[in-house]
Amino acid sequence: MTFNLENSIELLERTPLILETQLRGISDVWIHCNEGEETWSVFDVVGHLIHGEQTDWIARLKIILSEGADKNFKPFDRFAMFEESKGKSLNQLLEEFKVLREKNTSILKSKNITEKDFNRKGIHPVFGAVTLSQLLSCWMVHDLDHLAQINRIIAKQYKQEVGPWIEFLKILK
């Protein structure tokens, strides 16, 4: 499928509702479990999504669309949420994410991006030149990746308990 901005925004706008519906009010046992050593919990994933909303997607979009000569992206701290989320509840994180995502999708829509803009480039600190359509595609798929991760984290808590059905449960492999 070719990148389509409207279709991507459609999914980006739904992520907060999906998270809210699935996670608001669930027990701490689900919030803080993970998949093993040096893996993230549901709480960590939501904090990571917030950090992306604050420092990554729109900041990089603005760099790409700017007329300035410096198109270099600042490196993204994939682990910033460990400090930034301290002292907060999951419900607070869900609300913060919702507010930030609404703001960011509004900014995205306000840019009146054209198909010509899709090929404009920024410089990623690891990958080098990337296009606006790649950045926006990544933003949407990044959401889907972390939604799948949240479901996998929760599912794996019952990995042993499903018994022989594990053979049919791809999420547990």
Side-chain angles (χ1 to χ4, degrees):
M1 174 185 287
T2 303
F3 174 76
N4 179 285
L5 183 58
E6 292 76 27
N7 291 344
S8 297
I9 291 171
E10 181 180 342
L11 291 181
L12 288 168
E13 289 178 326
R14 283 171 170 69
T15 302
L17 180 59
I18 293 166
L19 291 171
E20 176 83 15
T21 301
Q22 183 177 16
L23 302 176
R24 183 167 292 280
I26 66 169
S27 304
D28 280 353
V29 67
W30 299 117
I31 296 168
H32 298 292
C33 59
N34 59 39
E35 299 177 83
E37 278 189 50
E38 297 188 29
T39 64
W40 294 357
S41 68
V42 169
F43 185 84
D44 299 332
V45 173
V46 177
H48 171 78
L49 290 168
I50 288 168
H51 185 67
E53 293 300 305
Q54 293 170 326
T55 67
D56 193 356
W57 309 112
I58 294 299
R60 291 177 173 186
L61 173 134
K62 288 177 178 178
I63 289 169
I64 291 173
L65 293 177
S66 76
E67 297 302 324
D70 184 6
K71 297 292 186 175
N72 291 292
F73 298 164
K74 292 180 181 162
F76 179 73
D77 182 354
R78 292 181 51 240
F79 305 103
M81 73 283 195
F82 293 123
E83 277 303 312
E84 293 175 359
S85 298
K86 278 186 180 174
K88 297 179 182 178
S89 69
L90 180 62
N91 289 344
Q92 287 172 307
L93 294 181
L94 292 169
E95 185 61 29
E96 187 175 350
F97 178 69
K98 179 178 135 186
V99 168
L100 288 167
R101 178 55 62 87
E102 287 173 359
K103 175 184 164 203
N104 287 344
T105 52
S106 283
I107 291 169
L108 177 59
K109 290 175 187 177
S110 76
K111 295 296 181 184
N112 298 313
I113 295 169
T114 66
E115 283 197 36
K116 185 178 175 186
D117 293 322
F118 292 165
N119 293 318
R120 293 176 71 171
K121 295 181 180 175
I123 308 299
H124 188 279
V126 175
F127 307 129
V130 295
T131 66
L132 180 59
S133 66
Q134 289 171 332
L135 174 74
L136 296 174
S137 295
C138 182
W139 187 9
M140 193 263 311
V141 174
H142 181 264
D143 274 15
L144 296 173
D145 189 51
H146 285 302
L147 289 171
Q149 179 184 19
I150 287 168
N151 285 299
R152 190 180 67 236
I153 292 166
I154 293 170
K156 283 192 175 177
Q157 303 315 302
Y158 278 9
K159 186 173 184 176
Q160 301 307 314
E161 284 70 16
V162 299
W165 283 283
I166 196 168
E167 174 181 343
F168 301 115
L169 301 171
K170 293 177 188 151
I171 196 168
L172 297 178
K173 304 231 183 259

PDB file of all heavy atoms in Angstrom, residues 8 22 35 41 50-51 63 101 104 108 136 158:
ATOM      1  N   SER A   8      -3.366   7.435   7.432  1.00  0.00           N
ATOM      2  CA  SER A   8      -2.458   7.360   8.574  1.00  0.00           C
ATOM      3  C   SER A   8      -2.987   8.163   9.758  1.00  0.00           C
ATOM      4  O   SER A   8      -2.948   7.692  10.897  1.00  0.00           O
ATOM      5  CB  SER A   8      -1.068   7.858   8.171  1.00  0.00           C
ATOM      6  OG  SER A   8      -0.532   7.020   7.178  1.00  0.00           O
ATOM      7  N   GLN A  22      -8.405  -0.201  26.605  1.00  0.00           N
ATOM      8  CA  GLN A  22      -7.750  -1.420  27.067  1.00  0.00           C
ATOM      9  C   GLN A  22      -7.136  -1.288  28.459  1.00  0.00           C
ATOM     10  O   GLN A  22      -7.149  -2.254  29.226  1.00  0.00           O
ATOM     11  CB  GLN A  22      -6.664  -1.839  26.084  1.00  0.00           C
ATOM     12  CG  GLN A  22      -5.999  -3.148  26.464  1.00  0.00           C
ATOM     13  CD  GLN A  22      -4.977  -3.606  25.453  1.00  0.00           C
ATOM     14  OE1 GLN A  22      -4.534  -2.842  24.611  1.00  0.00           O
ATOM     15  NE2 GLN A  22      -4.605  -4.869  25.541  1.00  0.00           N
ATOM     16  N   GLU A  35       8.128  -8.859  29.921  1.00  0.00           N
ATOM     17  CA  GLU A  35       8.396 -10.130  29.245  1.00  0.00           C
ATOM     18  C   GLU A  35       9.703 -10.771  29.688  1.00  0.00           C
ATOM     19  O   GLU A  35      10.181 -11.704  29.063  1.00  0.00           O
ATOM     20  CB  GLU A  35       8.432  -9.908  27.734  1.00  0.00           C
ATOM     21  CG  GLU A  35       7.124  -9.389  27.180  1.00  0.00           C
ATOM     22  CD  GLU A  35       7.193  -9.108  25.703  1.00  0.00           C
ATOM     23  OE1 GLU A  35       7.033 -10.064  24.916  1.00  0.00           O
ATOM     24  OE2 GLU A  35       7.412  -7.945  25.332  1.00  0.00           O
ATOM     25  N   SER A  41       7.502  -2.786  30.531  1.00  0.00           N
ATOM     26  CA  SER A  41       6.146  -3.055  31.025  1.00  0.00           C
ATOM     27  C   SER A  41       5.155  -2.236  30.191  1.00  0.00           C
ATOM     28  O   SER A  41       5.554  -1.360  29.411  1.00  0.00           O
ATOM     29  CB  SER A  41       6.041  -2.654  32.498  1.00  0.00           C
ATOM     30  OG  SER A  41       6.150  -1.234  32.622  1.00  0.00           O
ATOM     31  N   ILE A  50       4.543   8.684  24.982  1.00  0.00           N
ATOM     32  CA  ILE A  50       4.462  10.097  25.377  1.00  0.00           C
ATOM     33  C   ILE A  50       5.739  10.826  24.990  1.00  0.00           C
ATOM     34  O   ILE A  50       5.699  11.919  24.420  1.00  0.00           O
ATOM     35  CB  ILE A  50       4.200  10.222  26.896  1.00  0.00           C
ATOM     36  CG1 ILE A  50       2.769   9.803  27.218  1.00  0.00           C
ATOM     37  CG2 ILE A  50       4.486  11.642  27.398  1.00  0.00           C
ATOM     38  CD1 ILE A  50       2.493   9.615  28.698  1.00  0.00           C
ATOM     39  N   HIS A  51       6.874  10.236  25.288  1.00  0.00           N
ATOM     40  CA  HIS A  51       8.147  10.884  24.968  1.00  0.00           C
ATOM     41  C   HIS A  51       8.266  11.121  23.457  1.00  0.00           C
ATOM     42  O   HIS A  51       8.752  12.170  23.026  1.00  0.00           O
ATOM     43  CB  HIS A  51       9.321  10.055  25.490  1.00  0.00           C
ATOM     44  CG  HIS A  51      10.634  10.726  25.306  1.00  0.00           C
ATOM     45  ND1 HIS A  51      10.980  11.880  25.988  1.00  0.00           N
ATOM     46  CD2 HIS A  51      11.675  10.439  24.495  1.00  0.00           C
ATOM     47  CE1 HIS A  51      12.185  12.262  25.601  1.00  0.00           C
ATOM     48  NE2 HIS A  51      12.633  11.406  24.696  1.00  0.00           N
ATOM     49  N   ILE A  63      11.312  19.985  11.093  1.00  0.00           N
ATOM     50  CA  ILE A  63      12.643  20.095  10.492  1.00  0.00           C
ATOM     51  C   ILE A  63      12.570  19.809   8.995  1.00  0.00           C
ATOM     52  O   ILE A  63      13.125  20.549   8.183  1.00  0.00           O
ATOM     53  CB  ILE A  63      13.642  19.130  11.181  1.00  0.00           C
ATOM     54  CG1 ILE A  63      13.946  19.636  12.595  1.00  0.00           C
ATOM     55  CG2 ILE A  63      14.927  18.986  10.360  1.00  0.00           C
ATOM     56  CD1 ILE A  63      14.701  18.633  13.466  1.00  0.00           C
ATOM     57  N   ARG A 101      -1.366  13.666  21.768  1.00  0.00           N
ATOM     58  CA  ARG A 101      -1.688  13.148  20.435  1.00  0.00           C
ATOM     59  C   ARG A 101      -2.715  14.040  19.741  1.00  0.00           C
ATOM     60  O   ARG A 101      -2.613  14.293  18.543  1.00  0.00           O
ATOM     61  CB  ARG A 101      -2.186  11.703  20.540  1.00  0.00           C
ATOM     62  CG  ARG A 101      -2.599  11.063  19.213  1.00  0.00           C
ATOM     63  CD  ARG A 101      -1.529  11.089  18.106  1.00  0.00           C
ATOM     64  NE  ARG A 101      -0.327  10.376  18.417  1.00  0.00           N
ATOM     65  CZ  ARG A 101      -0.117   9.081  18.202  1.00  0.00           C
ATOM     66  NH1 ARG A 101      -1.051   8.347  17.667  1.00  0.00           N
ATOM     67  NH2 ARG A 101       1.042   8.538  18.529  1.00  0.00           N
ATOM     68  N   ASN A 104      -0.799  16.993  18.519  1.00  0.00           N
ATOM     69  CA  ASN A 104       0.094  16.676  17.409  1.00  0.00           C
ATOM     70  C   ASN A 104      -0.640  16.348  16.116  1.00  0.00           C
ATOM     71  O   ASN A 104      -0.189  16.736  15.038  1.00  0.00           O
ATOM     72  CB  ASN A 104       1.055  15.555  17.804  1.00  0.00           C
ATOM     73  CG  ASN A 104       2.124  16.034  18.759  1.00  0.00           C
ATOM     74  OD1 ASN A 104       2.347  17.237  18.912  1.00  0.00           O
ATOM     75  ND2 ASN A 104       2.795  15.107  19.411  1.00  0.00           N
ATOM     76  N   LEU A 108      -0.265  18.350  12.661  1.00  0.00           N
ATOM     77  CA  LEU A 108      -0.056  17.624  11.405  1.00  0.00           C
ATOM     78  C   LEU A 108      -1.062  18.062  10.345  1.00  0.00           C
ATOM     79  O   LEU A 108      -0.694  18.380   9.206  1.00  0.00           O
ATOM     80  CB  LEU A 108      -0.148  16.119  11.656  1.00  0.00           C
ATOM     81  CG  LEU A 108      -0.017  15.190  10.459  1.00  0.00           C
ATOM     82  CD1 LEU A 108       1.302  15.377   9.734  1.00  0.00           C
ATOM     83  CD2 LEU A 108      -0.193  13.736  10.923  1.00  0.00           C
ATOM     84  N   LEU A 136       6.268   9.772   8.569  1.00  0.00           N
ATOM     85  CA  LEU A 136       4.857   9.673   8.936  1.00  0.00           C
ATOM     86  C   LEU A 136       4.374   8.228   8.922  1.00  0.00           C
ATOM     87  O   LEU A 136       3.561   7.833   9.771  1.00  0.00           O
ATOM     88  CB  LEU A 136       4.016  10.558   8.019  1.00  0.00           C
ATOM     89  CG  LEU A 136       4.309  12.064   8.139  1.00  0.00           C
ATOM     90  CD1 LEU A 136       3.532  12.848   7.094  1.00  0.00           C
ATOM     91  CD2 LEU A 136       4.036  12.576   9.545  1.00  0.00           C
ATOM     92  N   TYR A 158       0.318 -15.340  30.937  1.00  0.00           N
ATOM     93  CA  TYR A 158      -0.391 -16.621  31.026  1.00  0.00           C
ATOM     94  C   TYR A 158       0.216 -17.663  30.092  1.00  0.00           C
ATOM     95  O   TYR A 158      -0.420 -18.655  29.748  1.00  0.00           O
ATOM     96  CB  TYR A 158      -1.873 -16.432  30.691  1.00  0.00           C
ATOM     97  CG  TYR A 158      -2.720 -15.930  31.843  1.00  0.00           C
ATOM     98  CD1 TYR A 158      -2.153 -15.492  33.040  1.00  0.00           C
ATOM     99  CD2 TYR A 158      -4.094 -15.911  31.739  1.00  0.00           C
ATOM    100  CE1 TYR A 158      -2.935 -15.039  34.089  1.00  0.00           C
ATOM    101  CE2 TYR A 158      -4.884 -15.453  32.782  1.00  0.00           C
ATOM    102  CZ  TYR A 158      -4.297 -15.020  33.951  1.00  0.00           C
ATOM    103  OH  TYR A 158      -5.077 -14.573  34.982  1.00  0.00           O
TER     104      TYR A 158
END
